[in-house]
Each structure stands twice: as C-alpha cells, then as structure tokens.
Amino acid sequence: MMSSIMYELLDIRLLADKGTHIPVSIPPESPLILIPSEGIAVSDGKQIHRVGKKQLIILHRGGGEWRLTPEAGERFGDVCGVRFQSYRLVHRDAQNLHYSVSIDHLPGHGHVIDVTRYAAALIASLLEEARSSSPLALAESPKMRLLLQELIEAISTRALFAEGFPVRDKSIRQAVDYIARNFAKPLTRASAAQLAGFNESYFSSLFRKETGWGFGEYVNRARIDEAKRLLLASTQSLGEIAYRTGFSDASYFGKAFQRVALMSPGSFRKRRGARRIAAMQFYGALLAIGVKPLAGTHEIWRSSVLLHEELGELVLMEHLGQTEVLEALELELIVAPAYYCHYPEVLKALERIAPVVLIPWGERNKLEEVREVGGLLGRLPQAEQWIASYLAQGAAAREVVQSFVKDSETAGIYELWYEDQWMIPHWPVRSTYNLYEILGLKAPRRIEEDVLEPNKAVRIKEQELPLYAAGHMFVIVPGKDPETYRSKLMQRKVWRQLVQEQGCRLYMLSLDEFWMDEGVSLQKQLTIMVSLLTGE
C-alpha cells in the first residue's frame, strides 16, 4: 500500500535527567514528542502544559523556545525527546512520488496523551535502537522509520480505541452520560450546568472545550444518531421516531435531520440495504452478516489480524483525518463506533462523503452487536444464522474443554497495559464473553466481584496480580509472537511465584489478534483459546 504520509526521524535523545539544571530550553525547529519518566511542565511562552508520568506531549508550533521544568520537586526525571519531520504526498507521476512538509494530520500542538502499553513498547524499541546506532544510521534506518510511523499512529489513534472517550473532566463526563440516557426528554443547558455544579457560562465553555460541541449541538446530535438507527432498523413512521428521539413533531425532526445528515430521513432510510460500506470498526460483525467493507482505518485493520484473509484488500485511512481516500469509492454508508461523536471534525468530514451511522461499542455482549449490525443493514436473518452457528461451535468447545479444566479451577484474561500495570477486561471486550459465557469457565472471586459484576474493566499494579490470579491465565501482550513475552514475564518475581508456587498456567495471546472481538473475530478467538487449553 502506497503511503500518503511519511515520517523522517531527525533525532532521539535524553533531553534531561536528574543532573540537569532547571529549566531546559528547546528550540522549536521541528515536531517533537516529549516523554518524561516523571511529571514535567512545558511552557511555550503563552501557556503551560502539564505532562504526568506515563504521559507524553507532542509539540509542533513555531515561536519562542519551549521551556521544561519538573512538575514537583527540584530535579527532573529522565525526559526523552523524539524529533521528526512529517510529509504528505502531494503529487505522483509515472516515475516519482512528490511529498511536502505537512503537520495538519498530527495531534494538536501541546496535546497531552496517555501512554498505552502498545506505545510504551514502541518507545522502548526506539530508545534501544537509538542507544545502539549512530545519528546517521538512525536517520537512514528503515526500522527506525517504521517504529516512528507506528508510534505516531499509536499516540494519535490507538489511544482513542483504548479509551473510547477523550473527555477528561469528570463533571462533563457525567453530563454526557446523562444526555445519553435522557436525550428524548427536554434538556436545557441550565439544568445540565446545575447538575454538573457549575454556573451556566462556565459549564457551556467547559462543555465545548471537552467535547468539541456546544451543549445544544451535542444534544441534537445524540437525538439524530438514535433516529438514524431507528430509521435503518425499524419500520416506525417519522412521527413515531421524532417522538422517541425528543423532537416535537415530524416536520421539525425532518429539518433538524437534514441539517446534520445532509439528506432527508426518507433518503437515509433507503441506505438500509447498503453494500458499499466503509467501516471505522466492526469488521468482524460485518463479515458475520456477509458484508465485506470497502474501506476502513489502518489502526483497526492492524488490530484485526485474524480477519485479514476475509477482508482482503481494503482502502485504508492511515489516520483519522485522511478522509479524502474515501471520496472515489461512491460509498452508500459509513459505519463508525459511537465514540466518534467526540471527534467532531473527523465526524463532519466523514458525513461530507457519505451518510454515517454510529453504533454503540463496548456496552453490550457480542451477539447483540452482530444482531444490531444485521438489523441496521437489512440482514437480520444472516445475523441470526451466524449467531446460531457460533453458539453451536461454543457448545462443542465447552464440552471439549471440560475434560481439561476441572470444575474447581478458575480462568481469567489479563492484558499488559503499561510496564507494571495490567488490565482485566469486562464482559464486552477482549474475548471475556468467550471465556465465561461460551466456555462456562469460572472466574476468580476478585474478578467476579470487581470486574464482572459491575461490568467494568479494572487496572491493577503487577504486584496485585496474585489477588486476581486464576489457575488458567490468558495473557494478552503486544507483538506478533506473544510467546517471546513468556520468558520476559518469568524474569519477574511475581510471575515466577504465580507459576512455580501457585501453579498458574499461562496462555500467551497476541494483542493484535485479541484487540477486537467482534463477530468473526470472536469465533476465531474461541478456536485459539480452546487449542491452548487443550494443548493442541
């Protein structure tokens, strides 16, 4: 696949450590990623950005020097700087590709991003390569270019899929959750501000800063998004849908719908049988109902390794802003996860290309997800047929596994999050549904109480693993060959204790095979898990 975005690694070095004098000044010569081991403050002369431990910041705006100071205390921890240049393809002819400097696709200047475990692994690889290579070798190394490309994708895109919700302020998150539950009722900015505990003016400003939308816009969008799903999945009249989504009458609903969707409700309803589809997620659910998407994002494709054969060649957006690659496809519909509503510019750009339907993600079990996608695309019988096939496979798998896992033994899934942090996934993600619902295995008491019953993922320190340990532990780690992580884990005391003293069995899984567990992916993951449990 030809790359429309290229990155050149200019330099990677330690910019500060415990012996560095305060402050550190850095000239803004080119885009820079700062990765501190402890909290720092970064000032560009106009505002201060605070970057915590296990976070990074991307800087690319010119002007005065950037000044770094420790966030607490009088000394720095280690601060690593990755300086690079970014290029976009602007022209091609028979012999050559022509690129020019471009930073418009990068995260915004001063944007602070949590370092996920995937990004942490890439940073570690970059540093290891930098320590063993000369500056000239770094600049010319294809491996370094690939690592840089993957790191920028990770910090600009994968964090979105890891969290699914970029709103950080707790009060605004509560307001957004309240809108999601009550959009069909009369909602006012004043009542929402009172609920959040702010005056109306401050609430309005903070809401826009956190979500990218004005309060009224956001409420209207929530209503229209639900209306889109009802138009595709039901035969209800426009009047009924207007009432169910909080609009006063069908006429007002039609006008509001036209402004957002850029077409009438009736025209949108005709997209129910769409086949020319771009999917920002849900590859496995689409394949389960017999629909192969034409396009998607590189990040989701890379995180859906088990589906590559079925997906074949897709037109891929290398980053969320690269919507222009979709323009020539004559798309009938774009399917995206509901958290895209928190990326207004991306969503609006997609809507200019084709109608967009947002589907909730991470809120329901995987069979309901396949059923919903089937209903939206007029293929509910195909969805039910796939579900029946999957359940039959699951029943056979449960019978096989019973011979290898005793009734008294427990099982769990553990995903490497960042260095010494692990995530224990809840029901809607990472094949948890396969483990407990389909295979019928028993969770340890702490996982049952802290994760499954509240249906909420939990992140724990590595030293807390014995409290959540199971007899059979499925361990999700980055990389194409997860078995290479086994020896790394066994170098750590807590893992040696789990295996040697508690008798835990470890089954290593690849993050890129288990990141997405929708539809056909879930089916293939079940096969992998059964083969590991049975030693096949």
Side-chain angles (χ1 to χ4, degrees), residues 438-461:
I438 298 302
L439 294 179
L441 299 182
K442 184 170 66 175
R445 180 182 60 82
R446 285 292 294 267
I447 291 182
E448 184 70 39
E449 294 176 353
D450 295 354
V451 180
L452 300 183
E453 288 181 3
N455 195 23
K456 183 178 181 180
V458 168
R459 297 181 198 172
I460 61 173
K461 293 284 188 179

PDB file of all heavy atoms in Angstrom, residues 438-461:
ATOM      1  N   ILE A 438     -19.391 -18.543  26.960  1.00  0.00           N
ATOM      2  CA  ILE A 438     -19.414 -19.640  25.992  1.00  0.00           C
ATOM      3  C   ILE A 438     -18.744 -20.900  26.546  1.00  0.00           C
ATOM      4  O   ILE A 438     -19.324 -21.986  26.518  1.00  0.00           O
ATOM      5  CB  ILE A 438     -18.742 -19.208  24.674  1.00  0.00           C
ATOM      6  CG1 ILE A 438     -19.517 -18.037  24.057  1.00  0.00           C
ATOM      7  CG2 ILE A 438     -18.689 -20.373  23.692  1.00  0.00           C
ATOM      8  CD1 ILE A 438     -20.976 -18.315  23.766  1.00  0.00           C
ATOM      9  N   LEU A 439     -17.529 -20.744  27.080  1.00  0.00           N
ATOM     10  CA  LEU A 439     -16.836 -21.914  27.626  1.00  0.00           C
ATOM     11  C   LEU A 439     -17.303 -22.255  29.040  1.00  0.00           C
ATOM     12  O   LEU A 439     -17.039 -23.357  29.529  1.00  0.00           O
ATOM     13  CB  LEU A 439     -15.320 -21.682  27.619  1.00  0.00           C
ATOM     14  CG  LEU A 439     -14.680 -21.561  26.229  1.00  0.00           C
ATOM     15  CD1 LEU A 439     -13.183 -21.300  26.354  1.00  0.00           C
ATOM     16  CD2 LEU A 439     -14.938 -22.818  25.409  1.00  0.00           C
ATOM     17  N   GLY A 440     -17.989 -21.326  29.686  1.00  0.00           N
ATOM     18  CA  GLY A 440     -18.543 -21.604  31.005  1.00  0.00           C
ATOM     19  C   GLY A 440     -17.507 -21.753  32.103  1.00  0.00           C
ATOM     20  O   GLY A 440     -17.778 -22.403  33.129  1.00  0.00           O
ATOM     21  N   LEU A 441     -16.327 -21.155  31.936  1.00  0.00           N
ATOM     22  CA  LEU A 441     -15.291 -21.273  32.957  1.00  0.00           C
ATOM     23  C   LEU A 441     -15.562 -20.315  34.118  1.00  0.00           C
ATOM     24  O   LEU A 441     -16.277 -19.322  33.978  1.00  0.00           O
ATOM     25  CB  LEU A 441     -13.915 -21.008  32.343  1.00  0.00           C
ATOM     26  CG  LEU A 441     -13.514 -21.977  31.220  1.00  0.00           C
ATOM     27  CD1 LEU A 441     -12.126 -21.669  30.710  1.00  0.00           C
ATOM     28  CD2 LEU A 441     -13.598 -23.424  31.692  1.00  0.00           C
ATOM     29  N   LYS A 442     -14.995 -20.616  35.247  1.00  0.00           N
ATOM     30  CA  LYS A 442     -15.270 -19.874  36.476  1.00  0.00           C
ATOM     31  C   LYS A 442     -14.202 -18.813  36.709  1.00  0.00           C
ATOM     32  O   LYS A 442     -13.004 -19.092  36.600  1.00  0.00           O
ATOM     33  CB  LYS A 442     -15.318 -20.847  37.657  1.00  0.00           C
ATOM     34  CG  LYS A 442     -15.697 -20.194  38.983  1.00  0.00           C
ATOM     35  CD  LYS A 442     -15.965 -21.236  40.054  1.00  0.00           C
ATOM     36  CE  LYS A 442     -14.710 -22.014  40.414  1.00  0.00           C
ATOM     37  NZ  LYS A 442     -14.918 -22.941  41.540  1.00  0.00           N
ATOM     38  N   ALA A 443     -14.639 -17.598  37.041  1.00  0.00           N
ATOM     39  CA  ALA A 443     -13.703 -16.504  37.323  1.00  0.00           C
ATOM     40  C   ALA A 443     -13.252 -16.566  38.775  1.00  0.00           C
ATOM     41  O   ALA A 443     -14.005 -16.998  39.652  1.00  0.00           O
ATOM     42  CB  ALA A 443     -14.373 -15.163  37.051  1.00  0.00           C
ATOM     43  N   PRO A 444     -12.022 -16.120  39.081  1.00  0.00           N
ATOM     44  CA  PRO A 444     -11.618 -15.964  40.476  1.00  0.00           C
ATOM     45  C   PRO A 444     -12.580 -15.004  41.192  1.00  0.00           C
ATOM     46  O   PRO A 444     -13.181 -14.120  40.567  1.00  0.00           O
ATOM     47  CB  PRO A 444     -10.210 -15.357  40.370  1.00  0.00           C
ATOM     48  CG  PRO A 444      -9.736 -15.719  39.014  1.00  0.00           C
ATOM     49  CD  PRO A 444     -10.953 -15.737  38.143  1.00  0.00           C
ATOM     50  N   ARG A 445     -12.688 -15.136  42.485  1.00  0.00           N
ATOM     51  CA  ARG A 445     -13.660 -14.348  43.245  1.00  0.00           C
ATOM     52  C   ARG A 445     -13.450 -12.847  43.041  1.00  0.00           C
ATOM     53  O   ARG A 445     -14.402 -12.097  42.846  1.00  0.00           O
ATOM     54  CB  ARG A 445     -13.550 -14.683  44.733  1.00  0.00           C
ATOM     55  CG  ARG A 445     -14.529 -13.903  45.613  1.00  0.00           C
ATOM     56  CD  ARG A 445     -14.347 -14.251  47.074  1.00  0.00           C
ATOM     57  NE  ARG A 445     -13.000 -13.942  47.522  1.00  0.00           N
ATOM     58  CZ  ARG A 445     -12.585 -12.729  47.894  1.00  0.00           C
ATOM     59  NH1 ARG A 445     -13.423 -11.711  47.858  1.00  0.00           N
ATOM     60  NH2 ARG A 445     -11.340 -12.528  48.307  1.00  0.00           N
ATOM     61  N   ARG A 446     -12.191 -12.379  43.071  1.00  0.00           N
ATOM     62  CA  ARG A 446     -11.948 -10.943  42.939  1.00  0.00           C
ATOM     63  C   ARG A 446     -12.337 -10.432  41.544  1.00  0.00           C
ATOM     64  O   ARG A 446     -12.834  -9.312  41.409  1.00  0.00           O
ATOM     65  CB  ARG A 446     -10.468 -10.624  43.218  1.00  0.00           C
ATOM     66  CG  ARG A 446     -10.079 -10.678  44.677  1.00  0.00           C
ATOM     67  CD  ARG A 446     -10.730  -9.560  45.496  1.00  0.00           C
ATOM     68  NE  ARG A 446     -10.283  -8.239  45.132  1.00  0.00           N
ATOM     69  CZ  ARG A 446      -9.276  -7.589  45.722  1.00  0.00           C
ATOM     70  NH1 ARG A 446      -8.600  -8.170  46.704  1.00  0.00           N
ATOM     71  NH2 ARG A 446      -8.949  -6.377  45.351  1.00  0.00           N
ATOM     72  N   ILE A 447     -12.107 -11.217  40.503  1.00  0.00           N
ATOM     73  CA  ILE A 447     -12.526 -10.808  39.158  1.00  0.00           C
ATOM     74  C   ILE A 447     -14.048 -10.778  39.078  1.00  0.00           C
ATOM     75  O   ILE A 447     -14.635  -9.862  38.489  1.00  0.00           O
ATOM     76  CB  ILE A 447     -11.924 -11.742  38.089  1.00  0.00           C
ATOM     77  CG1 ILE A 447     -10.411 -11.538  38.008  1.00  0.00           C
ATOM     78  CG2 ILE A 447     -12.579 -11.498  36.732  1.00  0.00           C
ATOM     79  CD1 ILE A 447      -9.720 -12.381  36.960  1.00  0.00           C
ATOM     80  N   GLU A 448     -14.694 -11.744  39.678  1.00  0.00           N
ATOM     81  CA  GLU A 448     -16.160 -11.776  39.687  1.00  0.00           C
ATOM     82  C   GLU A 448     -16.712 -10.528  40.371  1.00  0.00           C
ATOM     83  O   GLU A 448     -17.617  -9.861  39.847  1.00  0.00           O
ATOM     84  CB  GLU A 448     -16.647 -13.032  40.421  1.00  0.00           C
ATOM     85  CG  GLU A 448     -18.155 -13.215  40.419  1.00  0.00           C
ATOM     86  CD  GLU A 448     -18.721 -13.576  39.060  1.00  0.00           C
ATOM     87  OE1 GLU A 448     -18.073 -14.375  38.344  1.00  0.00           O
ATOM     88  OE2 GLU A 448     -19.791 -13.040  38.712  1.00  0.00           O
ATOM     89  N   GLU A 449     -16.153 -10.186  41.531  1.00  0.00           N
ATOM     90  CA  GLU A 449     -16.680  -9.071  42.320  1.00  0.00           C
ATOM     91  C   GLU A 449     -16.279  -7.706  41.770  1.00  0.00           C
ATOM     92  O   GLU A 449     -17.089  -6.768  41.775  1.00  0.00           O
ATOM     93  CB  GLU A 449     -16.189  -9.198  43.771  1.00  0.00           C
ATOM     94  CG  GLU A 449     -16.752 -10.414  44.500  1.00  0.00           C
ATOM     95  CD  GLU A 449     -16.177 -10.550  45.898  1.00  0.00           C
ATOM     96  OE1 GLU A 449     -15.250  -9.770  46.240  1.00  0.00           O
ATOM     97  OE2 GLU A 449     -16.636 -11.426  46.637  1.00  0.00           O
ATOM     98  N   ASP A 450     -15.032  -7.575  41.307  1.00  0.00           N
ATOM     99  CA  ASP A 450     -14.516  -6.255  40.919  1.00  0.00           C
ATOM    100  C   ASP A 450     -14.696  -5.939  39.440  1.00  0.00           C
ATOM    101  O   ASP A 450     -14.686  -4.758  39.046  1.00  0.00           O
ATOM    102  CB  ASP A 450     -13.025  -6.152  41.257  1.00  0.00           C
ATOM    103  CG  ASP A 450     -12.755  -6.222  42.746  1.00  0.00           C
ATOM    104  OD1 ASP A 450     -13.729  -6.238  43.533  1.00  0.00           O
ATOM    105  OD2 ASP A 450     -11.573  -6.278  43.137  1.00  0.00           O
ATOM    106  N   VAL A 451     -14.835  -6.976  38.607  1.00  0.00           N
ATOM    107  CA  VAL A 451     -14.862  -6.763  37.156  1.00  0.00           C
ATOM    108  C   VAL A 451     -16.191  -7.190  36.534  1.00  0.00           C
ATOM    109  O   VAL A 451     -16.866  -6.397  35.875  1.00  0.00           O
ATOM    110  CB  VAL A 451     -13.700  -7.520  36.478  1.00  0.00           C
ATOM    111  CG1 VAL A 451     -13.729  -7.297  34.969  1.00  0.00           C
ATOM    112  CG2 VAL A 451     -12.359  -7.089  37.060  1.00  0.00           C
ATOM    113  N   LEU A 452     -16.573  -8.442  36.731  1.00  0.00           N
ATOM    114  CA  LEU A 452     -17.728  -8.981  36.013  1.00  0.00           C
ATOM    115  C   LEU A 452     -19.056  -8.464  36.547  1.00  0.00           C
ATOM    116  O   LEU A 452     -19.948  -8.110  35.767  1.00  0.00           O
ATOM    117  CB  LEU A 452     -17.697 -10.510  36.048  1.00  0.00           C
ATOM    118  CG  LEU A 452     -16.452 -11.165  35.421  1.00  0.00           C
ATOM    119  CD1 LEU A 452     -16.582 -12.680  35.447  1.00  0.00           C
ATOM    120  CD2 LEU A 452     -16.224 -10.676  33.991  1.00  0.00           C
ATOM    121  N   GLU A 453     -19.218  -8.424  37.865  1.00  0.00           N
ATOM    122  CA  GLU A 453     -20.498  -7.970  38.417  1.00  0.00           C
ATOM    123  C   GLU A 453     -20.771  -6.499  38.113  1.00  0.00           C
ATOM    124  O   GLU A 453     -21.858  -6.157  37.635  1.00  0.00           O
ATOM    125  CB  GLU A 453     -20.549  -8.248  39.920  1.00  0.00           C
ATOM    126  CG  GLU A 453     -20.699  -9.741  40.231  1.00  0.00           C
ATOM    127  CD  GLU A 453     -20.769 -10.009  41.720  1.00  0.00           C
ATOM    128  OE1 GLU A 453     -20.760  -9.045  42.515  1.00  0.00           O
ATOM    129  OE2 GLU A 453     -20.846 -11.196  42.098  1.00  0.00           O
ATOM    130  N   PRO A 454     -19.812  -5.594  38.324  1.00  0.00           N
ATOM    131  CA  PRO A 454     -20.058  -4.192  37.925  1.00  0.00           C
ATOM    132  C   PRO A 454     -19.907  -3.968  36.426  1.00  0.00           C
ATOM    133  O   PRO A 454     -20.217  -2.889  35.922  1.00  0.00           O
ATOM    134  CB  PRO A 454     -19.004  -3.409  38.706  1.00  0.00           C
ATOM    135  CG  PRO A 454     -17.895  -4.373  38.965  1.00  0.00           C
ATOM    136  CD  PRO A 454     -18.557  -5.720  39.113  1.00  0.00           C
ATOM    137  N   ASN A 455     -19.410  -4.979  35.703  1.00  0.00           N
ATOM    138  CA  ASN A 455     -19.185  -4.891  34.253  1.00  0.00           C
ATOM    139  C   ASN A 455     -18.303  -3.698  33.918  1.00  0.00           C
ATOM    140  O   ASN A 455     -18.640  -2.845  33.100  1.00  0.00           O
ATOM    141  CB  ASN A 455     -20.511  -4.806  33.491  1.00  0.00           C
ATOM    142  CG  ASN A 455     -20.332  -5.070  31.997  1.00  0.00           C
ATOM    143  OD1 ASN A 455     -19.363  -5.701  31.576  1.00  0.00           O
ATOM    144  ND2 ASN A 455     -21.270  -4.605  31.204  1.00  0.00           N
ATOM    145  N   LYS A 456     -17.136  -3.674  34.565  1.00  0.00           N
ATOM    146  CA  LYS A 456     -16.203  -2.573  34.381  1.00  0.00           C
ATOM    147  C   LYS A 456     -14.779  -3.099  34.437  1.00  0.00           C
ATOM    148  O   LYS A 456     -14.402  -3.797  35.379  1.00  0.00           O
ATOM    149  CB  LYS A 456     -16.416  -1.516  35.470  1.00  0.00           C
ATOM    150  CG  LYS A 456     -15.542  -0.284  35.318  1.00  0.00           C
ATOM    151  CD  LYS A 456     -15.859   0.723  36.400  1.00  0.00           C
ATOM    152  CE  LYS A 456     -14.997   1.979  36.246  1.00  0.00           C
ATOM    153  NZ  LYS A 456     -15.288   2.974  37.307  1.00  0.00           N
ATOM    154  N   ALA A 457     -13.974  -2.769  33.414  1.00  0.00           N
ATOM    155  CA  ALA A 457     -12.581  -3.202  33.399  1.00  0.00           C
ATOM    156  C   ALA A 457     -11.833  -2.610  34.583  1.00  0.00           C
ATOM    157  O   ALA A 457     -12.135  -1.501  35.036  1.00  0.00           O
ATOM    158  CB  ALA A 457     -11.904  -2.792  32.093  1.00  0.00           C
ATOM    159  N   VAL A 458     -10.851  -3.344  35.073  1.00  0.00           N
ATOM    160  CA  VAL A 458     -10.054  -2.900  36.218  1.00  0.00           C
ATOM    161  C   VAL A 458      -8.588  -2.908  35.819  1.00  0.00           C
ATOM    162  O   VAL A 458      -8.117  -3.833  35.153  1.00  0.00           O
ATOM    163  CB  VAL A 458     -10.276  -3.832  37.428  1.00  0.00           C
ATOM    164  CG1 VAL A 458      -9.252  -3.576  38.521  1.00  0.00           C
ATOM    165  CG2 VAL A 458     -11.681  -3.646  37.966  1.00  0.00           C
ATOM    166  N   ARG A 459      -7.853  -1.862  36.225  1.00  0.00           N
ATOM    167  CA  ARG A 459      -6.401  -1.821  36.013  1.00  0.00           C
ATOM    168  C   ARG A 459      -5.723  -2.000  37.358  1.00  0.00           C
ATOM    169  O   ARG A 459      -6.090  -1.347  38.343  1.00  0.00           O
ATOM    170  CB  ARG A 459      -5.973  -0.506  35.381  1.00  0.00           C
ATOM    171  CG  ARG A 459      -6.564  -0.290  33.995  1.00  0.00           C
ATOM    172  CD  ARG A 459      -6.093   1.030  33.408  1.00  0.00           C
ATOM    173  NE  ARG A 459      -6.943   1.454  32.315  1.00  0.00           N
ATOM    174  CZ  ARG A 459      -6.858   2.634  31.724  1.00  0.00           C
ATOM    175  NH1 ARG A 459      -5.951   3.500  32.128  1.00  0.00           N
ATOM    176  NH2 ARG A 459      -7.660   2.958  30.729  1.00  0.00           N
ATOM    177  N   ILE A 460      -4.746  -2.862  37.394  1.00  0.00           N
ATOM    178  CA  ILE A 460      -4.062  -3.160  38.653  1.00  0.00           C
ATOM    179  C   ILE A 460      -2.552  -3.088  38.458  1.00  0.00           C
ATOM    180  O   ILE A 460      -2.043  -3.220  37.348  1.00  0.00           O
ATOM    181  CB  ILE A 460      -4.450  -4.560  39.182  1.00  0.00           C
ATOM    182  CG1 ILE A 460      -4.049  -5.642  38.176  1.00  0.00           C
ATOM    183  CG2 ILE A 460      -5.929  -4.635  39.506  1.00  0.00           C
ATOM    184  CD1 ILE A 460      -4.230  -7.062  38.684  1.00  0.00           C
ATOM    185  N   LYS A 461      -1.841  -2.875  39.547  1.00  0.00           N
ATOM    186  CA  LYS A 461      -0.387  -2.969  39.532  1.00  0.00           C
ATOM    187  C   LYS A 461       0.020  -4.443  39.439  1.00  0.00           C
ATOM    188  O   LYS A 461      -0.690  -5.333  39.893  1.00  0.00           O
ATOM    189  CB  LYS A 461       0.197  -2.360  40.806  1.00  0.00           C
ATOM    190  CG  LYS A 461       0.012  -0.860  40.937  1.00  0.00           C
ATOM    191  CD  LYS A 461       0.972  -0.112  40.040  1.00  0.00           C
ATOM    192  CE  LYS A 461       0.932   1.381  40.322  1.00  0.00           C
ATOM    193  NZ  LYS A 461       1.885   2.114  39.458  1.00  0.00           N
TER     194      LYS A 461
END
